[in-house]
Structures are given as C-alpha cells and as structure tokens.
C-alpha cells in the first residue's frame, strides 16, 4: 500500500508553498527570452523513439541507458523525451516553420525523463527552460544565445556561475579527432567498460562522458578536441569569444567539454557552479549544424541551450538569491450565521472580481476557528460579519499585523483593501531601499 502514497524514485512534487518560486523563475526566463525575440513552442511529451536515436545519438548514455521507452498499444516504439531539442527540431520541420523568416527563435518549458541513478540534483523527471535558434551559422548567434543565458542568471541574482566554453568542430575535424581518440583508447582497451569498448569503433568521443570511474580516469588524459579543429571552426570559435569579450562576459575555455549528446558541432558551453554538489552544471548548450538535416529537415544550422529548473532553484537558494514575496491573502471575511455567511460570500466575490485574493468560510466553522484559519493563511486584513454588521452595512476591519481596526462601510471595502495593499507595497519598497 505504501506505493500508493509514494512517488516513483527520482521524481519530485512541487508543493503549493514552493510553486510561486517556479512561476517566478519560469516567467522571468520566458520574459527575457521574449525580449531576445524568442516565442514559446509546446511539443508532445513523447515522440517516436527513432527521433532520439537519430538526434541524441544511439551511442550516447542517454539513448543506450536512460530512455523511458515502451511499445504503445499500436506496437509503436515511443519514448518520453529525455531532452527538448529533438522534439523542437521535429516540430519546426514538420510544421514548415523553417520555410518562414529566419532565424527562427523558439523557447520552451518542458519536463524531461532520464532513467539515471537519482542523487542530489539528478532526477528521473526534471524540468528544463530552453531556447533554440534555427537558420544562422554566425558566431554572433552563439554569443547572443550565451549572453541571454547570462542575463537570465544575472536577473535572477545567481552568483558564482562559471561559463565554460569549447569548440568540438565540424564533421571533418571530428573525423581527425576520432582517429586520435581511437589510437589513445585502444591502448587502454582492457580497462574500458563494455559499453565503451563498443563505442571505441563507432563513436570514441562518447567514452569521454562515460560515468564509469575507470573510463572517466582514462579519459582525463585523452587528446583534446580543440587541438584538432580546422581553420574555419577555429575562426568561428574566435568570433564567439571576441563577442563575449566585447560584452565583458567572463568565460573559461575548457577543452574537456564535449557534452553528452551527439548532435553538437562547433561551439559547446556549460554554466557550472561549485555550490550545489557534484551535479553542478546548471545549463548546457551548443551549436548543432547537422541536426535538422539528420532528421529529414532542411540543411540549416541551429544552436540552443537548456537549463535545469531544479538545479537553478538549488543554486539560487545556495547563493541567497531573492525571490519575490509569496502572495498573501488580502482579506478574510468571517461570518456568524447564515445571512452573514451569504453576505460574506457576495463581498468576497466582488473583491475577487477586482483582482484581490479574498477568502470567506466554506467549512461551516465557528468564528474562532475561522480566524485561526485566516491567521494561518497570513491574511493581511480580516473582519467578522454578524447581525449588527448586516444592519449597519459596516464592518470593523482589522489589520492582522498591527492589530489596528477601522470601521468600513461595505460599499467602501474595495477601496479600503486597495489602499491597504498599496501601503504594504510602499512599505516593502522602502525596506528594500534601506536594506538593498
Ligand atoms: P543537457 O546538458 O543534457 O542538455 O541538459 C541541460 C540541463 O538539464 C543540465 O545542465 C541540467 O541542469 C539539467 N539536467 C539534465 N539532466 C538532469 C537530471 N537527470 N536531473 C536534473 N537536471 C538535469 C540538453 O538537454 C540539451 N537539449 C540542451 C540544448 C538545447 N542544447 C542545444 N539546445
């Protein structure tokens, strides 16, 4: 029976007391992306398995070990998306979006599914905010995307994130690099895990992100891709760096970043923190100039990124980033007796129509229990309606924080609640001015 009240391993609930943080972070990221010209796209949670095999790559850990794949009742192989890029690319091709004005810029909020070993910051269902640009191969586009990520983190108050940058070149550079890797790893053949031994022939670069400790150790001294990239890719990388320099955006070149997904070409990047333990990559992305053609679309370049919302919230907590105050109930209108309860119900409705969070009793509680509930909700104001109030058309409205009371006519209640809200806002602005 315990199973019924226990969520599956590696999943997390977002509780009412925390959901405002999610809404804040997601809303702000989407809003900044809008200023950079991105529009939201929503795609299905599951796709044909083949899409991920082709795009993410069938020798990656994600495809080989981590996908939630099943046969549906029509005997089709279906996979819950392990990431957002493949589905976005599929949707852009299928819906003819790439025949319209380019570059096409899309943003998204998606849940992703990977059967990984759960640990702090690593879940089996997690959430990403991401964005993709299709149609531009200019280094300006890479720098623009990276700058946007930087601005999102800055606006959210995330500090001490390191931008790590690398270039993994084009298919020609890759062929040279693969040759060098094969020679290097062949000398360690006996020590590699079974999966990596298979990878050695097909895709030796994937050995570099194997999670087995032995392979990981061997990979540390492997040849670095930056030493094998061609002149064109090198110039492209210089172009990206020059634009980040022009923005004064700090970065470090980390020649060991290859990313765990096969579709990348040229620029790859990660935003990394040391503040949340081993899973410190909060955002990852890069260019993928062959992906759209690989899945049957036009021969157009692309670039994008995704940040993990769970990791982002973790790093915000760790570095003391501020969240806006949790919204509070503006007024609780308590009541004694049926007639007063009906009046309270009507007044609350009017207040809600004016955009205020207002509450009244729906539990048939006594007045003491009603006030206890109002207190627990953290209501800013409260009043109690009884026969006298109904007769006079006025109520004593109490400020729950200061204890002050004011007699207010029912007709003036909306104005009174409005003034009280303004006073709270002014107070909090003054406080942030004194203690910024
Ligand atoms: P990724 O590096 O696999 O890239 O994931 C992006 C981010 O998702 C990570 O940096 C991390 O914050 C979060 N993440 C990944 N796996 C987990 C997990 N098991 N638990 C919690 N968070 C996780 C991609 O997914 C690419 N599609 C990014 C991209 C977009 N590249 C180009 N466009």
């Amino acid at each position: 029976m315990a199973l019924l009240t226990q969520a599956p391993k590696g999943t997390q609930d977002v509780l009412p007391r925390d959901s405002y943080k999610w809404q804040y972070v997601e809303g702000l990221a989407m809003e900044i992306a809008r200023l950079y010209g991105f529009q939201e796209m929503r795609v299905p949670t599951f796709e044909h398995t083949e899409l991920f095999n082709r795009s993410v790559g069938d020798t990656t850990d994600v495809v080989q070990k981590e996908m939630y794949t099943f046969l549906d009742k029509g005997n089709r192989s279906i996979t819950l998306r392990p990431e957002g890029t493949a589905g976005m690319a599929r949707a852009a091709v299928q819906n003819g979006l790439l025949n319209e004005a380019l570059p096409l810029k899309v943003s998204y909020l998606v849940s992703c599914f990977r059967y990984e070993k759960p640990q702090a910051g690593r879940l089996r269902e997690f959430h990403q905010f991401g964005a993709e640009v299709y149609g531009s191969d200019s280094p300006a586009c890479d720098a623009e995307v990276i700058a946007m990520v930087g601005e999102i983190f800055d606006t959210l108050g995330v500090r001490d994130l390191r931008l790590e940058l690398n270039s993994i070149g084009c298919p020609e550079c890759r062929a040279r690099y693969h040759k060098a890797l094969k020679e290097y790893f062949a000398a360690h053949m006996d020590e590699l895990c079974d999966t990596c031994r298979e990878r050695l022939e097909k895709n030796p670069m994937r050995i570099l992100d194997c999670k087995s400790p032995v392979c990981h150790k061997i990979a540390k001294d492997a040849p670095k891709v930056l030493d094998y990239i061609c002149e064109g890719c090198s110039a492209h990388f210089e172009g990206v760096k020059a634009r980040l320099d022009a923005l004064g955006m700090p970065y470090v070149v980390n020649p060991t970043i290859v990313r765990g997904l096969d579709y990348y070409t040229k620029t790859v990047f990660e935003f990394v923190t040391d503040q949340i333990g081993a899973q410190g990559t909060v955002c990852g992305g890069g260019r993928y100039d062959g992906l759209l053609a690989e899945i049957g679309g036009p021969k157009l370049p692309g670039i994008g990124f995704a940040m993990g919302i769970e990791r982002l919230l973790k790093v915000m907590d760790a570095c003391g980033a501020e969240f806006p105050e949790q919204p509070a109930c503006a007024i609780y209108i308590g009541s004694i007796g049926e007639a007063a309860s009906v009046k309270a119900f009507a007044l609350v409705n009017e207040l809600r129509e004016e955009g205020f969070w207002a509450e009244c009793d729906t539990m048939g509680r006594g007045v003491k229990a009603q006030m206890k509930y109002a207190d627990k909700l953290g209501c800013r104001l409260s009043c109690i309606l009884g026969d006298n109030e109904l007769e006079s058309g006025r109520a004593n409205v109490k400020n729950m924080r200061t204890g002050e009371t004011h007699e207010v006519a029912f007709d003036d209640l909306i104005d009174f609640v409005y003034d009280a809200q303004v006073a709270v806002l002014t107070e909090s602005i003054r406080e942030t001015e004194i203690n910024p």
Side-chain angles (χ1 to χ4, degrees):
M1 283 305 271
L3 223 52
L4 295 184
T5 52
Q6 211 65 49
K9 203 168 154 186
T11 66
Q12 256 178 20
D13 302 310
V14 179
L15 302 180
R17 62 168 173 263
D18 293 322
S19 56
Y20 77 100
K21 293 186 177 178
W22 284 69
Q23 288 163 1
Y24 166 65
V25 163
E26 293 175 349
L28 193 137
M30 274 291 182
E31 183 54 24
I32 292 179
R34 196 180 63 77
L35 300 179
Y36 278 77
F38 290 83
Q39 284 182 305
E40 187 185 9
M41 185 149 78
R42 300 188 188 196
V43 297
T45 308
F46 54 84
E47 300 274 355
H48 294 295
T49 303
E50 187 57 21
L51 175 69
F52 300 114
N53 292 351
R54 285 294 276 272
S55 55
V56 171
D58 49 18
T59 52
T60 58
D61 262 12
V62 170
V63 168
Q64 287 191 320
K65 302 180 184 167
E66 297 169 3
M67 293 210 302
Y68 280 87
T69 297
F70 57 95
L71 286 181
D72 72 5
K73 291 195 194 309
N75 235 13
R76 301 170 195 92
S77 182
I78 293 293
T79 294
L80 301 185
R81 66 173 160 235
E83 56 101 55
T85 307
M88 292 291 149
R90 194 267 312 138
V93 173
Q94 180 178 343
N95 294 286
L97 305 185
L98 301 165
N99 308 326
E100 297 169 13
L102 295 178
L104 170 71
K105 298 177 172 184
V106 298
S107 57
Y108 54 88
L109 284 164
V110 290
S111 50
C112 302
F113 306 85
R114 293 185 195 175
Y115 193 79
E116 292 194 83
K117 200 163 184 230
Q119 53 175 263
R122 191 196 277 165
L123 293 149
R124 289 183 174 168
E125 182 188 19
F126 59 96
H127 298 81
Q128 290 184 340
F129 167 74
E132 315 287 346
V133 185
Y134 308 108
S136 166
D137 59 9
S138 158
C141 188
D142 308 41
E144 184 181 59
V145 163
I146 294 171
M148 181 172 99
V149 178
E151 187 171 338
I152 292 172
F153 287 136
D154 278 351
T155 314
L156 288 171
V158 181
R159 284 185 304 276
D160 300 328
L161 272 184
R162 208 167 49 249
L163 165 58
E164 298 190 352
L165 212 58
N166 194 18
S167 173
I168 58 172
C170 60
E172 286 88 74
C173 315
R174 191 76 47 83
R176 269 199 309 277
Y177 184 49
H178 275 182
K179 192 162 167 272
L181 282 180
K182 271 186 196 166
E183 278 167 23
Y184 173 79
F185 283 118
H188 298 273
M189 185 77 165
D190 298 342
E191 300 155 76
L192 295 176
C193 75
D194 292 347
T195 322
C196 284
R197 236 174 275 156
E198 265 176 46
R199 285 169 172 162
L200 189 57
E201 266 320 301
K202 280 203 206 151
N203 193 354
M205 227 168 103
R206 290 284 70 93
I207 302 176
L208 299 175
D209 42 57
C210 178
K211 289 178 187 119
S212 128
V214 179
C215 300
H216 190 70
K217 195 159 167 251
I218 299 169
K220 273 199 175 133
D221 295 323
K224 305 287 178 280
V225 63
L226 259 188
D227 298 329
Y228 295 83
I229 64 173
C230 66
E231 236 170 75
C233 290
S234 181
H236 189 276
F237 194 43
E238 291 308 313
V240 178
K241 291 192 288 178
R243 284 168 179 81
L244 294 177
D245 291 338
L247 298 181
M249 191 165 179
Y251 59 84
V252 286
V253 173
N254 177 350
T256 67
I257 296 183
V258 290
R259 313 271 303 131
L261 313 163
D262 266 355
Y263 46 65
Y264 291 113
T265 53
K266 298 185 183 166
T267 316
V268 287
F269 62 90
E270 292 183 346
F271 285 78
V272 186
T273 177
D274 300 321
Q275 303 177 77
I276 56 170
Q279 304 305 316
T281 308
V282 184
C283 174
R287 178 165 278 290
Y288 46 83
D289 290 349
L291 172 65
L292 291 164
E294 180 68 34
I295 63 166
K299 222 171 158 229
L300 283 173
I303 179 167
F305 71 86
M307 54 179 79
I309 307 283
E310 287 85 355
R311 290 188 195 172
L312 172 58
L313 288 167
K314 251 175 154 227
V315 71
M316 285 178 73
D317 275 339
C319 72
E322 295 224 4
F323 290 93
E325 256 184 64
Q326 191 160 18
C329 174
I331 184 165
Y332 187 94
I333 306 185
S335 57
I336 306 168
E338 176 64 7
S341 163
V342 172
K343 182 68 187 170
F345 186 74
L347 285 173
V348 158
N349 198 50
E350 274 176 39
L351 282 155
R352 287 176 182 160
E353 279 176 0
E354 290 301 318
F356 296 107
W357 177 6
E359 292 285 347
C360 63
D361 178 54
T362 54
M363 297 280 290
R365 284 183 174 130
V367 73
K368 220 170 139 191
Q370 291 181 33
M371 286 305 121
K372 205 167 151 191
Y373 179 68
D375 207 32
K376 274 201 180 148
L377 273 190
C379 298
R380 297 217 166 98
L381 303 169
S382 72
C383 62
I384 300 166
L385 308 187
D387 293 343
N388 291 342
E389 285 75 15
L390 290 190
E391 204 167 303
S392 66
R394 307 173 78 78
N396 261 332
V397 180
K398 182 173 161 188
N399 181 319
M400 299 283 276
R401 199 161 59 90
T402 63
E404 249 179 286
T405 58
H406 283 92
E407 200 182 283
V408 182
F410 292 165
D411 287 345
D412 298 334
L413 198 56
I414 288 173
D415 285 345
F416 186 83
V417 173
Y418 175 80
D419 289 344
Q421 292 274 78
V422 171
V424 170
L425 274 178
T426 317
E427 171 97 345
S428 86
I429 290 169
R430 201 174 303 136
E431 266 173 29
T432 39
E433 275 170 6
I434 297 168
N435 309 307

